């Protein structure tokens, strides 16, 4: 009889525990998980830091304090705040540790960047695909038209370029080596003979345009009526021997060709690259160039050097050829 009473009391105690205490403990545990920033919180999403991101105590850059920093690649969980500020939308972290600007976050974990491109601006030179990730099964994020502006952030081990679009989205361009060669603009071919200073191909066509402009200028001077011979000579001397410059933005084997010039007895190409880099590229094309930048075995002057004087407004380096 006593044994049966003990069993009954234990059964009643167990029933009470499961009906009341266990339910309370479950609710407490769920509350702790939610406060800790579990991704199952209502509206919570997982994001990754694309750059080093400031963690702030308020959803604004104005009047807020920086609590810390999230390294690139950091995973966080939070809810996007309704509305937006002049800084754009913000993410409230589920762990209660602050806010981060959503413009610096992505839904995909970023790859390691082998080389930074220092936020270099680039204008797409044709139709180009932007992928959500560098994976083979990645979704197509966008298809950019020629003339679209974007920012190049860095290159990855699998030959992609991480980019930031004008609307703040991050994406990836395939075939990084090809794009890096075209950073200066649309590719152009340069046919150059240092023995004669002859320029052929597309670059030769550009110099032909300059030549046509100069001929038109002289024809206009010759056709003009002057009050005296001295007035004629004064008009001629104002243009005689003057250099004719033309700005250009094209790429050549990774170099940025930024200008051309036709001088009285010579021609110049201008590049927005260092003399050493320009020399290396032309050496790779098979030209014999000395350490002083001069093309060897020529009777005319042909050389590569830092720009000076008026030419400095058109580039950092000049490839000049003439007498």
């Amino acid at each position: 009889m006593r044994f049966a009473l003990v069993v009954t009391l234990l059964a009643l105690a167990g029933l009470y525990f499961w009906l009341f205490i266990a339910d309370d403990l479950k609710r407490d545990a769920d509350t702790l998980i939610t406060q800790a920033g579990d991704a199952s919180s209502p509206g919570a999403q997982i994001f990754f830091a694309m750059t080093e991101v400031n963690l702030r105590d308020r959803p604004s850059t104005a009047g807020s304090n920086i609590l810390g920093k999230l390294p690139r690649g950091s995973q966080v969980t939070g809810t996007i705040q309704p509305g937006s500020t002049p800084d754009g939308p913000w993410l409230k972290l589920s762990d209660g540790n602050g806010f981060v600007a959503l413009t610096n976050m992505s839904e995909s974990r970023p790859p390691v960047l082998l080389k930074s491109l220092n936020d270099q601006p680039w204008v797409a030179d044709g139709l180009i695909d932007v992928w959500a990730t560098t994976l083979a099964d990645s979704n197509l994020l966008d298809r950019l038209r020629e003339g679209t502006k974007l920012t190049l952030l860095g290159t990855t081990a699998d030959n992609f370029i991480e980019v930031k679009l004008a609307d703040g989205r991050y994406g990836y361009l395939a075939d990084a080596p090809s794009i890096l060669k075209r950073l200066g603009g649309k590719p152009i071919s340069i046919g150059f003979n240092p023995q004669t200073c002859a320029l052929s191909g597309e670059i030769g066509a550009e110099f032909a345009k300059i030549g046509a402009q100069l001929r038109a200028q002289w024809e206009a001077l010759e056709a003009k009526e002057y009050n005296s011979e001295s007035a004629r000579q004064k008009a001629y001397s104002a243009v005689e021997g003057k250099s004719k410059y033309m700005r250009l933005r094209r790429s050549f084997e990774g170099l940025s060709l930024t200008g051309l010039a036709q001088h009285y007895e010579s021609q110049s190409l201008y590049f927005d690259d260092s003399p050493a880099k320009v020399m290396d590229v032309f050496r790779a094309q098979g030209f014999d160039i000395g350490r002083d930048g001069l093309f060897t075995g020529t009777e005319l002057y042909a050389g590569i050097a830092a720009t000076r004087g008026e030419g400095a407004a058109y580039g950092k380096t000049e490839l000049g050829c003439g007498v």
Side-chain angles (χ1 to χ4, degrees):
M1 182 72 176
R2 183 176 299 174
F3 176 77
L5 179 61
V6 171
V7 170
T8 301
L9 290 175
L10 288 175
L12 290 173
L15 179 63
Y16 179 83
F17 175 83
W18 288 111
L19 287 177
F20 299 101
I21 298 178
D23 188 56
D24 290 341
L25 290 175
K26 181 178 184 301
R27 283 198 300 271
D28 291 343
D30 290 344
T31 299
L32 289 174
I33 291 174
T34 300
Q35 292 176 346
D38 191 292
S40 63
S41 301
Q45 295 175 253
I46 294 176
F47 289 92
F48 298 89
M50 296 299 295
T51 63
E52 185 178 73
V53 178
N54 287 328
L55 186 64
R56 295 180 178 271
D57 62 352
R58 294 176 54 194
S60 173
T61 57
S64 63
N65 297 313
I66 297 176
L67 303 176
K69 294 183 181 295
L70 299 176
R72 173 183 167 88
S74 299
Q75 177 180 325
V76 295
T77 301
T79 54
I80 300 175
Q81 299 301 283
S84 62
T85 69
D87 313 311
W90 288 77
L91 187 71
K92 181 180 180 181
L93 301 188
S94 297
D95 58 11
N97 285 332
F99 301 82
V100 293
L102 198 61
T103 186
N104 297 319
M105 311 299 290
S106 172
E107 295 181 8
S108 301
R109 186 185 298 275
V112 174
L113 296 182
L114 293 184
K115 178 183 178 182
S116 173
L117 295 177
N118 302 312
D119 294 348
Q120 180 169 345
W122 186 56
V123 178
D125 55 10
L127 198 65
I128 191 166
D129 291 336
V130 183
W131 301 95
T133 70
T134 64
L135 301 177
D137 59 351
S138 172
N139 294 325
L140 182 65
L141 184 66
D142 206 339
R143 178 162 287 172
L144 306 181
R145 295 184 177 183
E146 181 177 351
T148 304
K149 296 180 180 179
L150 61 163
T151 303
L152 308 184
L153 305 179
T155 58
T156 68
D158 45 0
N159 285 325
F160 280 79
I161 294 182
E162 184 174 282
V163 300
K164 190 172 185 179
L165 306 183
D167 60 7
R169 291 178 298 166
Y170 289 85
Y172 298 88
L173 309 181
D175 197 6
S178 173
I179 293 174
L180 293 177
K181 288 184 178 181
R182 297 168 5 227
L183 294 185
K186 286 186 177 181
I188 191 172
S189 61
I190 297 179
F192 175 55
N193 184 345
Q195 306 294 333
T196 62
C197 292
L199 290 154
S200 59
E202 294 179 72
I203 201 69
E206 296 296 338
F207 272 102
K209 293 178 184 178
I210 295 179
Q213 293 171 3
L214 291 174
R215 285 193 299 273
Q217 183 181 43
W218 276 105
E219 289 172 359
L221 286 175
E222 292 172 350
K224 186 177 181 180
E225 295 290 338
Y226 297 92
N227 295 328
S228 64
E229 185 60 26
S230 62
R232 178 188 295 275
Q233 293 303 321
K234 184 177 180 180
Y236 284 5
S237 62
V239 297
E240 189 173 17
K242 298 292 184 180
S243 297
K244 177 68 175 179
Y245 292 88
M246 183 175 76
R247 293 192 183 279
L248 200 66
R249 185 155 185 84
R250 303 292 291 276
S251 61
F252 174 70
E253 299 298 327
L255 300 177
S256 295
L257 179 65
T258 49
L260 314 174
Q262 178 65 61
H263 310 295
Y264 180 57
E265 293 183 318
S266 64
Q267 296 170 314
S268 295
L269 307 180
Y270 296 100
F271 298 90
D272 192 28
D273 304 277
S274 68
K277 184 176 180 180
V278 176
M279 290 180 205
D280 287 343
V281 169
F282 276 87
R283 286 188 182 113
Q285 300 300 307
F287 292 97
D288 189 3
I289 303 172
R291 296 180 61 182
D292 56 2
L294 296 178
F295 290 77
T296 60
T298 63
E299 295 184 3
L300 299 174
Y301 167 81
I304 297 171
T307 53
R308 57 184 181 180
E310 194 173 1
Y314 294 85
K316 299 175 183 177
T317 297
E318 175 184 7
L319 187 161
C321 191
V323 297

